[in-house]
Amino acid sequence: MNVHGSFFYSLDKIKFSGRIRRAPANFQGSFFNYVSTWISLRLPAGYDLVNAGESLAPFRYRYWYDIRKKDDPEGTFHIEQSYNGDFKETRQIPEAFQVEFNPNKSGAIVWESFCGYFAFTVSEVKKFDIAYDLPGADLREVHIDTKADIMKYGKTSCQTLYIAPKAETGRVKVYQKDEEREAKGQAIEKTLRIECTIRPRTIFRTSDLVTPQDLEPFATAAAHLNAVKIRAPTVDTSDDWKLFALSRLSPGDLEKALSMMDAKTKAKYRKQLLTDADTVSLNLDPFTLYAHSIQLLKPWIERQKI
């Protein structure tokens, strides 16, 4: 288990592209059919092809497939093969493929099967989700301290907060993981999840040489992750009844109450509520977030041909 302060972190989803270098010798047919042949003959027991399609559009892959374990819609393994080309590369590239799945779900077994039957390299990690979990925390204790767009989704009893919901990189989701799992019939301890989608702009480097360009998307992501403040249920309010009352409001009601104050008073209480010694945040710098990502993505980074 990976640990950062009071938080546990993990890889929640990954999307990457690569090139097949060699298929098993007993796979017959043209190179175009290698992935299709693997799906037809070599899928793990209990897994099925549930959807498939074809496209001739540029910037797309010609063939795509969804593979899933029976009765497990969360574990979908999505793979595309044979890049159609684009304005710079007009020829079709049949050995090119792209994969998207959650390595914590049952789709990971399909990925292991793919690795067992093909020699390949990873060309690029296109995007991934990194998740930070705080055991015992409650969404009702969360305050979002940011100038970025904020969106709320879902019922009050089971709500998800979004920071920068339309951003290509650095979009953050905050939700009660135990309630989300309970809805799926699974019981886990009370856990607050803070999840961020990152689109790296360069090939990952495992060396100490990290450029400002490497860190740029991680700076945005770190700022949005740090905007999530988990307030203690109570604070030291012995000499200020207003602070006592404000500390017990939900994030939505707190924002409403602060909006009714003049600028000076609002700044005063916002600072007191969000800088209290018992307030918890991820407190990430871009390089630390980059290092966490390197650690989680190591199996894919090692397959990159740089």
Side-chain angles (χ1 to χ4, degrees):
M1 182 68 71
N2 303 293
V3 180
H4 172 71
S6 303
F7 295 82
F8 298 96
Y9 64 94
S10 60
L11 183 66
D12 193 62
K13 188 180 289 186
I14 184 171
K15 181 179 182 179
F16 58 92
S17 59
R19 299 287 181 96
I20 297 174
R21 301 302 179 187
R22 188 175 67 256
N26 61 342
F27 275 28
Q28 303 298 319
S30 71
F31 196 82
F32 285 92
N33 295 327
Y34 280 158
V35 169
S36 179
T37 303
W38 163 67
I39 291 172
S40 300
L41 303 178
R42 305 295 186 180
L43 284 186
Y47 287 79
D48 295 317
L49 176 66
V50 296
N51 212 348
E54 185 175 351
S55 173
L56 294 174
F59 300 96
R60 302 287 294 274
Y61 289 79
R62 180 164 184 178
Y63 308 106
W64 61 268
Y65 311 91
D66 284 336
I67 302 163
R68 187 184 302 159
K69 187 177 182 180
K70 293 177 181 178
D71 303 320
D72 184 16
E74 291 189 306
T76 300
F77 180 89
H78 180 82
I79 183 167
E80 303 173 5
Q81 188 223 337
S82 192
Y83 186 61
N84 289 332
D86 47 49
F87 300 136
K88 292 183 179 180
E89 180 58 77
T90 57
R91 70 182 182 91
Q92 196 170 55
I93 309 174
E95 66 271 24
F97 71 93
Q98 183 168 270
V99 165
E100 185 170 8
F101 74 109
N102 186 332
N104 301 308
K105 306 295 184 182
S106 58
I109 303 298
V110 183
W111 173 241
E112 291 176 8
S113 173
F114 183 90
C115 293
Y117 283 96
F118 294 98
F120 64 92
T121 57
V122 171
S123 306
E124 179 185 8
V125 176
K126 292 183 173 292
K127 71 173 182 177
F128 62 94
D129 289 357
I130 186 169
Y132 290 89
D133 292 334
L134 183 60
D138 195 303
L139 185 65
R140 289 171 296 183
E141 300 165 3
V142 169
H143 180 78
I144 306 297
D145 184 21
T146 182
K147 294 181 180 180
D149 291 337
I150 301 173
M151 184 180 79
K152 298 178 182 179
Y153 178 79
K155 300 177 181 178
T156 304
S157 58
C158 189
Q159 200 169 68
T160 299
L161 304 179
Y162 290 88
I163 301 174
K166 297 181 180 179
E168 287 194 359
T169 192
R171 184 187 76 156
V172 168
K173 290 170 58 179
V174 188
Y175 60 96
Q176 205 67 42
K177 181 66 176 177
D178 53 296
E179 292 181 1
E180 185 254 357
R181 288 292 88 198
E182 184 180 358
K184 303 291 184 180
Q186 301 175 15
I188 65 170
E189 68 173 314
K190 187 175 183 180
T191 303
L192 181 74
R193 168 155 289 193
I194 307 171
E195 186 178 303
C196 184
T197 299
I198 300 175
R199 293 179 182 267
R201 294 185 180 176
T202 59
I203 293 176
F204 274 103
R205 298 175 176 85
T206 54
S207 68
D208 293 332
L209 179 61
V210 180
T211 68
Q213 186 180 10
D214 294 330
L215 290 178
E216 188 174 340
F218 293 88
T220 300
H224 292 167
L225 285 165
N226 292 338
V228 182
K229 313 287 187 181
I230 300 96
R231 295 185 288 118
T234 60
V235 293
D236 183 6
T237 56
S238 57
D239 60 347
D240 191 335
W241 68 268
K242 291 181 181 179
L243 184 60
F244 177 86
L246 290 170
S247 70
R248 284 156 174 77
L249 294 179
S250 67
D253 288 343
L254 176 60
E255 282 301 319
K256 185 174 181 179
L258 290 173
S259 69
M260 298 176 182
M261 302 177 184
D262 61 74
K264 185 177 180 179
T265 305
K266 178 164 63 176
K268 170 190 170 182
Y269 284 114
R270 185 185 292 276
K271 181 178 180 181
Q272 286 180 289
L273 287 164
L274 298 182
T275 59
D276 184 85
D278 293 327
T279 298
V280 177
S281 68
L282 279 161
N283 194 27
L284 289 162
D285 60 80
F287 188 83
T288 299
L289 179 56
Y290 185 90
H292 289 175
S293 302
I294 287 286
Q295 184 180 17
L296 296 174
L297 296 169
K298 188 176 180 181
W300 293 275
I301 295 171
E302 290 177 342
R303 288 185 175 270
Q304 286 183 153
K305 186 177 182 180
I306 302 176

